Amino acid sequence: MQGPRFESTERYIAGDDLAVAVNAAVALERPLLVKGEPGTGKTVLAEEVAASLGLPLITWHVKSTTKAQAGLYEYDAVARLRDSQLGSESVHDIGNYIVKGKLWEAFETEGGAVLLIDEIDKADIEFPNDLLQELDRMEFFVYETKQTIRATKRPVIIITSNNEKELPDAFLRRCFFHYIQFPDGATMASIVKAHYPDLHKEVLNEALGLFFGIRSVPNLKKRPSTSELLDWIRLLVIEHVKPGDLEEKAQANAVPPFIGSLVKNEQDMDRLAQWVGSRGWRR
């Protein structure tokens, strides 16, 4: 593979398999579909890929109401009608009422771009299918202006999904797929060190022990994620938590400080309390 390649950065620790997936998708000129638990860095991955490849990042946040057409363009007929009633000269050029979408923006970016289609599974099931031709051919037709928009350089496309719904097979065939496994202890330690290089090693070890202890509690509705761990570590740093403080809490089977950074609903709080009460913090 020629040209810049994606690798781990000082801020983003990517496993070898993830780096291989990114570079393979770039080489194949296929969208990279990334799945994984919420908070495992799928969205941040696009930012780091853009920085690594020296390309601008264009982000399309998908919602339940998002339609594929919005990524291409939208025709503002209401604005044109209003201008017509006001006697504006702009109504004679329909192009004045075409609103470019994120895909159009990525297509016309000189030198290429990284396009993030974030949380594609939030939209309805037809959303991915409605983008098949545009992602394949890297072009689309604007009916109002009778023009074809083609990519000046094929963008690097990263698509994230939280597995809220299954994606169509026809769409999956056009993607390179990668599932981001939840980091193990050593990898998680590296991630924390990348963000908090001055964190005392003992505090780090105690924090990770409690964090993975919480994740091991059975039947949690939502297990804490990497991003939530980093929020928690930030609070520990702000409050100058010292070595031994967290271990003391664990030995007393007490709730860790700032638990609201890690556990986000009352049912999981109850499960955690019952688990610790019966077993302590043994994993």
Side-chain angles (χ1 to χ4, degrees):
M1 303 180 194
Q2 303 298 318
R5 293 171 56 83
F6 172 71
E7 297 176 347
S8 291
T9 66
E10 291 183 0
R11 298 184 304 163
Y12 191 90
I13 307 300
D16 291 342
D17 55 343
L18 177 56
V20 167
V22 171
N23 292 316
V26 172
L28 290 173
E29 298 185 331
R30 293 284 188 181
L32 174 64
L33 174 61
V34 184
K35 292 186 179 183
E37 286 186 35
T40 50
K42 300 185 294 296
T43 301
V44 178
L45 171 65
E47 299 173 4
E48 297 301 324
V49 169
S52 179
L53 300 180
L55 297 174
L57 174 65
I58 298 170
T59 302
W60 184 9
H61 294 294
V62 177
K63 301 178 181 179
S64 59
T65 56
T66 302
K67 301 299 181 184
Q69 180 63 35
L72 308 181
Y73 71 93
E74 292 182 290
Y75 169 50
D76 193 345
V78 173
R80 193 181 187 201
L81 175 61
R82 182 188 65 239
D83 287 350
S84 176
Q85 292 171 338
L86 295 173
S88 173
E89 289 296 319
S90 61
V91 298
H92 300 297
D93 182 359
I94 197 171
N96 292 326
Y97 304 95
I98 300 296
V99 181
K100 297 178 181 180
K102 297 295 184 180
L103 208 60
W104 188 333
E105 185 180 343
F107 280 8
E108 70 176 9
T109 299
E110 187 175 352
V114 173
L115 173 64
L116 169 63
I117 304 177
D118 200 24
E119 299 187 336
I120 193 173
D121 52 322
K122 282 188 174 180
D124 66 50
I125 193 63
E126 292 305 319
F127 180 91
N129 281 335
D130 290 343
L131 290 175
L132 291 181
Q133 295 301 319
E134 290 77 11
L135 295 181
D136 255 358
R137 299 179 180 178
M138 288 288 126
E139 66 177 38
F140 61 88
F141 187 70
V142 182
Y143 292 93
E144 289 79 2
T145 61
K146 305 296 188 293
Q147 64 181 137
T148 298
I149 305 301
R150 294 186 177 89
T152 56
K153 183 176 182 180
R154 178 180 287 266
V156 176
I157 299 175
I158 297 177
I159 303 169
T160 71
S161 169
N162 287 325
N163 260 346
E164 291 186 11
K165 62 171 66 79
E166 290 296 322
L167 299 174
D169 288 345
F171 180 79
L172 294 175
R173 284 198 301 271
R174 289 164 168 82
C175 297
F176 191 97
F177 171 75
H178 183 76
Y179 185 88
I180 298 181
Q181 298 290 342
F182 196 83
D184 59 19
T187 303
M188 190 65 82
S190 297
I191 292 171
V192 173
K193 288 177 184 176
H195 289 80
Y196 301 99
D198 298 327
L199 184 66
H200 194 287
K201 183 178 180 180
E202 189 174 340
V203 174
L204 171 61
N205 291 338
E206 292 172 9
L208 290 180
L210 288 171
F211 172 76
F212 281 106
I214 293 172
R215 281 186 57 87
S216 72
V217 174
N219 302 317
L220 288 183
K221 290 183 66 176
K222 183 191 179 307
R223 294 191 294 175
S225 67
T226 305
S227 62
E228 289 160 335
L229 170 64
L230 294 175
D231 285 345
W232 185 47
I233 295 287
R234 182 182 179 188
L235 288 172
L236 299 181
V237 170
I238 290 172
E239 293 300 315
H240 305 291
V241 170
K242 299 185 295 295
D245 287 354
L246 295 177
E247 179 61 26
E248 183 179 337
K249 289 280 188 182
Q251 289 180 357
N253 289 342
V255 173
F258 315 115
I259 190 65
S261 290
L262 301 174
V263 182
K264 299 300 178 71
N265 60 72
E266 61 274 20
Q267 295 95 330
D268 285 349
M269 285 288 194
D270 290 342
R271 290 187 181 95
L272 177 61
Q274 293 170 8
W275 177 258
V276 173
S278 62
R279 297 171 178 261
W281 284 105
R282 297 187 302 275
R283 290 184 59 200

